[in-house]
Amino acid sequence: MTTPRFAVAAIGNAIVDILAHADDTFLTAHGMAKGGMALIDEATADSLYEAMGPAIEASGGSAANTAAGIASLGGAVAYVGKVNGDLLGRVFTHDIRAIGVHFDTPALADGPATARCMVLITPDAERTMNTYLGACTRMTPEDIDDTVIADAAVTYVEGYLWDQPDAKAAILKAAKAARAAGRKVALSLSDAFCVDRHRTEFLELLSTTVDILFANEQEICHLYGVASFDEAVEKVRGQVGLAALTRGAAGSVVVTADQTVEVVAHVPDAVVDTTGAGDLYAAGFLYGLTTGRSLTDCARLGGLCAAECISHVGPRPQVSLADLVKRHLG
């Protein structure tokens, strides 16, 4: 098997985040489930934007954040995601290429606008998301370049994509190309509400297609319908080769058939915004995995990248993660 050109090929919804601070009263008034992600239409996105306080716009999207983190660590990474050729689409394209990610998915010439996610950050640093998917809904199998997928050690897919039938087909095409090339497939569960929508299909994917799973404590418990994290650990152990499970301030747990590796969290100076924490954990973990580090070091890398992410507003690194790793982990 040839040496891959990319450490990771990430596939996800290409989204521009619009982030603002809000209190719990605002969430309640607008019928939002705190900490979750709801899909909204364009009219709702426009009205919510009018109601929000002062905002910051930042390129986001779960898998795109992971790709950006890997690039900041010094890894070679590709990204597949659909934007419109509008202003936000051009912003997204500029931002992801500027950080060093290979991105050449053709933009829509017309049709739905580039996706945007209204992120409300409450005083406890929790983030509640309302997403207009727009152009993301137009991703199809034609957007998957088999040569790029075959040239990546790991193809990483965000669970949010499973909300769109054409995107499902694109994921399955990518997974087939990855397996044909002898590469690995990784899945992030993305969100507990997403898990609830697609539990049966996700469980089937774990049994047939996925080599590496990323999930937080709530997501993995929802996946198996159990109240105990320990129960979920034992269930996932028998279903997927490698699971990296995050537990917020309690750190993370890495599970294989014969190992359980527990790693404490890296504590930032302040917790400002948890948007993208899981995405950057995945970035650090996958970078470690594709550069031959131990599972313990992979989890430590993930925790360090997540800590940098939650120390500021926005889901992308604000410092060189490669330099950060040198200072803290060597």
Side-chain angles (χ1 to χ4, degrees):
M1 186 165 49
T2 60
T3 301
R5 174 185 174 193
F6 302 109
V8 174
I11 309 174
N13 288 324
I15 298 173
V16 176
D17 291 333
I18 300 174
L19 306 105
H21 291 280
D23 56 23
D24 289 351
T25 302
F26 184 92
L27 303 186
T28 301
H30 288 83
M32 299 177 191
K34 186 174 181 178
M37 190 283 287
L39 298 177
I40 58 176
D41 59 23
E42 189 168 13
T44 303
D46 290 340
S47 64
L48 183 56
Y49 182 69
E50 291 298 322
M52 291 168 65
I56 295 172
E57 286 77 29
S59 293
S62 178
N65 295 335
T66 298
I70 293 169
S72 184
L73 286 161
V77 57
Y79 177 71
V80 179
K82 202 72 172 177
V83 298
N84 191 296
D86 55 16
L87 176 59
L88 287 183
R90 294 194 297 273
V91 167
F92 181 94
T93 298
H94 169 270
D95 287 352
I96 200 162
R97 288 177 176 170
I99 200 170
V101 176
H102 175 87
F103 175 57
D104 61 2
T105 309
L108 289 176
D110 52 23
T114 295
R116 54 193 184 272
C117 181
M118 330 301 282
V119 183
L120 286 307
I121 307 163
T122 40
D124 58 1
E126 184 62 271
R127 82 285 183 271
T128 301
M129 299 179 289
N130 296 266
T131 304
Y132 165 60
L133 287 174
C136 293
T137 63
R138 298 295 179 89
M139 180 188 283
T140 72
E142 292 182 359
D143 292 310
I144 301 298
D145 184 341
D146 285 356
T147 60
V148 170
I149 300 301
D151 221 0
V154 178
T155 292
Y156 173 82
V157 179
E158 66 179 67
Y160 286 133
L161 282 174
W162 216 249
D163 285 316
Q164 301 299 323
D166 285 343
K168 288 184 190 181
I171 292 169
L172 295 175
K173 178 185 176 184
K176 183 178 179 180
R179 289 194 166 278
R183 312 302 191 188
K184 300 292 186 181
V185 177
L187 172 70
S188 166
L189 291 185
S190 294
D191 178 277
F193 298 99
C194 182
V195 172
D196 291 340
R197 291 192 294 273
H198 306 296
R199 180 180 294 107
T200 300
E201 291 172 291
F202 282 169
L203 287 170
E204 183 179 356
L205 279 176
L206 294 191
S207 296
T208 61
T209 305
V210 173
D211 303 292
I212 306 162
L213 177 69
F214 290 92
N216 65 26
E217 182 169 2
Q218 184 184 31
E219 292 158 3
I220 198 67
C221 288
H222 274 238
L223 182 66
Y224 291 108
V226 298
S228 162
F229 178 74
D230 290 340
E231 285 182 85
V233 165
E234 290 313 309
K235 286 183 176 294
V236 78
R237 188 191 306 279
Q239 195 164 30
V240 69
L242 172 62
L245 310 175
T246 57
R247 308 189 75 185
S252 64
V253 178
V254 183
V255 182
T256 69
D258 55 4
Q259 282 184 284
T260 302
V261 178
E262 298 185 28
V263 175
V264 299
H266 186 93
V267 181
D269 293 335
V271 178
V272 176
D273 170 20
T274 59
T275 307
D279 306 333
L280 270 296
Y281 177 91
F285 192 97
L286 287 171
Y287 178 76
L289 194 66
T290 55
T291 53
R293 299 211 182 198
S294 69
L295 294 180
T296 298
D297 282 349
C298 289
R300 292 176 67 201
L301 274 166
L304 180 61
C305 293
E308 191 282 331
C309 178
I310 66 177
S311 70
H312 55 75
V313 173
R316 301 279 177 92
Q318 292 192 352
V319 300
S320 164
L321 294 181
D323 291 344
L324 193 67
V325 169
K326 287 179 183 177
R327 290 200 304 273
H328 290 274
L329 302 180

